[in-house]
Amino acid sequence: MARTNRIIPATAVIAATAATSVRSASGLRLESGSVLAPVSLRPLGMRGVYDSNLTMQGASAGSDVPEHDLGGREIALAAILACGLSLVMNGVLIPGFSDAIPGRLGDPLLQAWEIAWGGHALLHQPLHYFDTNAFWPISNSLAFSDALIGYAPAGLVGDGTTAALVRYNLLFVLSYVVAFLGAYLLARELKLPPTFALIAGTAFAFSLWRLSQYHHLNILSSGGIPLCLFLLARGYRRRSPGMILGGWAVAMWQVSLGFSLGLPLIYLLGLLGAISAIAWLRRGRPAIAPGVQAVTLAGVVLFVSWTALLASPYLQAARDHPQARRSLAEVDFFSPPKKGVFAAPEESLLYGAITEPIRRRLPWPEEQTLFPGVVVPSLALAGLLWGPLSRRVRAGLAAGVAGTFALALGFRLWGPWSPYRFLYEFAPGWQGIRTPGRLMTLTTLGLALLAAAGSWAIMSSLQRRMTLARWMRLTIPALLVGAVLLDGSGRISTPEVPPPPPGLSTLPEPQLHLPIQNAPLYMYWSTEGFPRIVNGYSGSFPRLTSDVARETAGFPDA
């Protein structure tokens, strides 16, 4: 039996308590307007982040207003809050942590097997990591999907099917935590107060679009993107070699989870690097600290080398199995039609039923529902028009949102003239990507940051027009957090996973399990000892596997 439950948004009490905790951690005061109004940071050398005409309520323009920087206690409290929200929003999973899995008995089981295989390979065959026990006798078979190598250390803990489920479910819950924390820290680096950085973290981790991806752990595991951007931005601003190197390390980890999100991150870092280089040249090439130069060179070399190493088995798989290359017809099929902008995932609590007539006309709904909700885009619009960030930053975020959204439509935006077609034809790596809609990951990050700025602008406007009691200054941000959570909430199914038949692991190998269409389940069962099996399931099937499936399709014969 599958467990299906309605995700209940975290209450305003939780959000208010968290906001109060984070506020206390960073030493911010909530006396008359001292937190929620924008701060003039021109005296602190932060030009380019804020418009200089925005001042803290109760302090004159140009006054020496202290910069409330991040502290370890604030980060710890934000992480605790992220854990709490993830447990509340994914609470239906807790009763079946060891015998159920979120989503369906397909991709989640494949990825539970991948993580378990990662731990097995690290111990027993680290030099042949991609030569798995599945798809026998084909080698390099892990390259048929995002390999989730970054999660391989988790595979070292425990063995067998039960450990595979517990491990996967734990990483599923933690993926929301890392996404929340990454967006929160990036918002704080933009100098948004903790109260409103919470909205950025919530809007990214629990966005409505991510609800459609809850059966794809490789896509949910996107927190490394804002986290590496935070570390790099903060590291270069502070001239901190350790933080810069940490940013490149997190970027390497994100790429190691798979190229579905790793490839967009590679191009994003390249674009930001080019923009930074142009800005540096326009400023007259100011001197760069030797330590920063050295660690930047080291970080880039390590990142490029690591990416090339990870790409090698995928390139080999493309040479050995030409069908792994995504054809124009395949990418066009998975490209979201424009009407997908108005379709929410069927799991959506608020919009699933309302948008069902549009969703049922989509060729592949689970990858083509792009509706971002109402609350976050509305707050983001306020942040774009009236937010405290400088015009340059707001314009950059808006361009990022518009650009990634246009790319997410794949070939359906302007047909042959679509921007994604240019990437497909000329940019390395993009012919291996099947689903353009997953670029919405970057779109939702930009919307989340603008929404946080918009929330601050709304609160500042209220404070200029009226005197807000202390409880109101806590309650309003908490209600905004609750509204964001409600906007992205939905129902997730957690089907129970059938256990392996007794004695399966003692059978001689190689094994062929029938009926063939249950391949993900058989791969999951094979975590008991990892016997060689002919069965295999992935985003791309080698010809031999397809031939076996065709020949055994009629089993059992009449």
Side-chain angles (χ1 to χ4, degrees):
M1 294 291 292
R3 300 186 185 92
T4 303
N5 194 15
R6 179 168 297 177
I7 300 177
I8 304 173
T11 63
V13 174
I14 294 177
T17 303
T20 306
S21 300
V22 175
R23 177 258 304 163
S24 300
S26 58
L28 298 178
R29 299 169 54 223
L30 277 172
E31 274 79 35
S32 180
S34 62
V35 173
L36 304 176
V39 180
S40 173
L41 294 178
R42 179 180 288 254
L44 301 172
M46 292 304 297
R47 293 173 58 185
V49 176
Y50 291 94
D51 288 331
S52 59
N53 63 336
L54 295 175
T55 60
M56 178 181 287
Q57 189 173 358
S60 60
S63 63
D64 189 14
V65 179
E67 177 184 355
H68 298 288
D69 211 348
L70 273 169
R73 185 182 176 193
E74 177 186 340
I75 296 174
L77 287 171
I80 292 171
L81 172 62
C83 291
L85 289 177
S86 184
L87 289 173
V88 169
M89 298 296 282
N90 298 302
V92 63
L93 184 60
I94 296 174
F97 221 67
S98 62
D99 60 11
I101 203 163
R104 58 180 68 94
L105 301 182
D107 287 346
L109 289 180
L110 163 67
Q111 293 177 335
W113 165 83
E114 285 181 324
I115 299 166
W117 170 260
H120 174 84
L122 286 178
L123 287 176
H124 300 285
Q125 53 180 78
L127 298 181
H128 299 277
Y129 188 95
F130 278 77
D131 296 331
T132 75
N133 69 306
F135 292 100
W136 186 88
I138 298 170
S139 61
N140 198 31
S141 54
L142 194 61
F144 298 148
S145 300
D146 280 350
L148 295 177
I149 295 174
Y151 285 148
L156 296 171
V157 181
D159 56 68
T161 53
T162 300
L165 280 185
V166 172
R167 187 187 302 118
Y168 179 91
N169 290 333
L170 181 61
L171 291 173
F172 177 86
V173 172
L174 289 178
S175 69
Y176 289 87
V177 175
V178 179
F180 179 100
L181 197 58
Y184 174 89
L185 293 173
L186 186 55
R188 290 289 284 123
E189 179 58 22
L190 291 177
K191 303 306 169 190
L192 295 172
T195 307
F196 302 105
L198 291 176
I199 293 175
T202 304
F204 180 59
F206 303 101
S207 68
L208 179 61
W209 176 79
R210 279 169 60 93
L211 187 61
S212 68
Q213 299 293 320
Y214 78 96
H215 49 280
H216 292 141
L217 182 61
N218 57 325
I219 305 303
L220 292 178
S221 301
S222 57
I225 296 176
L227 186 57
C228 78
L229 295 178
F230 158 74
L231 289 169
L232 290 172
R234 190 174 180 83
Y236 283 112
R237 179 173 68 86
R238 290 190 157 199
R239 298 178 177 85
S240 169
M243 197 163 285
I244 294 171
L245 194 61
W248 287 112
V250 172
M252 292 167 62
W253 174 78
Q254 180 68 58
V255 173
S256 75
L257 294 176
F259 283 102
S260 291
L261 294 184
L263 187 66
L265 175 60
I266 292 167
Y267 278 81
L268 175 62
L269 291 175
L271 176 63
L272 294 176
I275 293 173
S276 299
I278 293 171
W280 176 72
L281 290 173
R282 291 187 62 182
R283 290 198 303 268
R285 297 187 295 180
I288 302 175
V292 172
Q293 293 183 41
V295 79
T296 298
L297 179 61
V300 171
V301 169
L302 287 172
F303 181 74
V304 172
S305 301
W306 177 246
T307 299
L309 181 65
L310 291 176
S312 178
Y314 289 92
L315 295 174
Q316 184 62 49
R319 289 190 292 268
D320 295 341
H321 309 279
Q323 69 276 10
R325 178 184 179 273
R326 307 302 185 182
S327 66
L328 282 169
E330 185 178 12
V331 177
D332 181 69
F333 174 81
F334 284 101
S335 295
K338 296 184 183 72
K339 57 178 171 281
V341 177
F342 305 101
E346 65 176 331
E347 296 85 2
S348 173
L349 181 64
L350 297 183
Y351 311 109
I354 297 174
T355 61
E356 193 273 336
I358 301 174
R359 187 174 56 253
R360 68 169 174 239
R361 302 204 312 268
L362 299 176
W364 197 260
E366 69 181 43
E367 297 287 359
Q368 297 174 338
T369 53
L370 305 185
F371 183 60
V374 173
V375 176
V376 173
S378 299
L379 292 174
L381 181 61
L384 175 63
L385 297 178
W386 305 294
L389 303 177
S390 71
R391 291 181 180 178
R392 182 179 302 175
V393 173
R394 283 181 284 158
L397 290 173
V401 168
T404 55
F405 185 75
L407 291 172
L409 291 172
F411 295 165
R412 302 295 184 94
L413 183 59
W414 297 317
W417 303 103
S418 299
Y420 193 87
R421 181 67 179 268
F422 175 84
L423 290 180
Y424 179 87
E425 296 287 359
F426 302 107
W430 291 92
Q431 291 188 0
I433 302 297
R434 181 178 63 171
T435 50
R438 294 175 178 179
L439 285 165
M440 280 292 290
T441 297
L442 299 181
T443 308
T444 57
L445 177 58
L447 286 173
L449 295 172
L450 284 172
S455 301
W456 193 9
I458 291 171
M459 179 61 76
S460 300
S461 177
L462 289 175
Q463 289 192 190
R464 286 194 297 269
R465 287 167 172 76
M466 64 185 73
T467 301
L468 298 178
R470 179 187 177 89
W471 69 269
M472 293 182 65
R473 296 197 300 272
L474 289 174
T475 301
I476 293 174
L479 290 176
L480 290 175
V481 170
V484 170
L485 289 170
L486 179 62
D487 210 43
S489 64
R491 299 170 291 271
I492 65 172
S493 178
T494 56
E496 294 183 8
V497 182
L504 181 63
S505 60
T506 64
L507 295 178
E509 53 180 286
Q511 303 168 1
L512 173 63
H513 300 268
L514 297 173
I516 200 74
Q517 62 267 24
N518 293 332
L521 181 62
Y522 306 144
M523 296 172 77
Y524 160 73
W525 285 349
S526 77
T527 58
E528 298 281 354
F530 292 99
R532 289 172 296 167
I533 60 175
V534 178
N535 307 82
Y537 176 83
S538 71
S540 176
F541 291 94
R543 180 166 287 115
L544 175 61
T545 305
S546 300
D547 290 344
V548 171
R550 184 175 58 255
E551 293 295 330
T552 59
F555 177 86
D557 296 329

